[in-house]
Amino acid sequence: ASGAEDGPMAGGDAVPFESPPELEVDFHLSTLRRTVWGMDVPQGVSPIVGGGFHRESTLLEALQSGCCDKVPGGGRKFVVSVGEAVKIRAEGTSWK
């Protein structure tokens, strides 16, 4: 599978993401009468790294749009970021 594809990996080789227990949070949404859970990204510098096609860009796109109003059906209705959050990209070169 390619990182440009939205479908699941063939052969069942995908490893589902699991949040570290110390970063798990839950929120009760009274207007929806339900509780949702997810992972808290602590304030400060949080490097998001990985190999090719590991979906780091997908996570960064969700986080950078988390401070904006949501589009119904956009798939990111529970992503929330502070307005001051920034994304810094590193150069694609090797360090020597």
Side-chain angles (χ1 to χ4, degrees):
S2 159
E5 298 175 16
D6 287 330
M9 291 178 65
D13 294 333
V15 177
F17 175 80
E18 290 186 28
S19 174
E22 63 273 13
L23 296 179
E24 289 182 0
V25 293
D26 58 80
F27 299 93
H28 179 70
L29 306 174
S30 57
T31 56
L32 297 177
R33 297 183 182 167
R34 67 184 276 200
T35 299
V36 297
W37 61 271
M39 186 179 89
D40 179 41
V41 178
Q43 183 177 359
V45 176
S46 299
I48 298 173
V49 299
F53 308 115
H54 286 171
R55 297 294 192 188
E56 306 91 350
S57 296
T58 303
L59 175 59
L60 287 170
E61 288 172 10
L63 292 173
Q64 73 188 29
S65 67
C67 61
C68 303
D69 290 338
K70 308 301 185 262
V71 175
R76 295 182 178 149
K77 63 183 172 185
F78 297 127
V79 176
V80 179
S81 301
V82 296
E84 297 82 25
V86 296
K87 175 173 98 173
I88 302 170
R89 293 186 63 109
E91 291 292 325
T93 59
S94 300
W95 291 90
K96 296 181 181 181

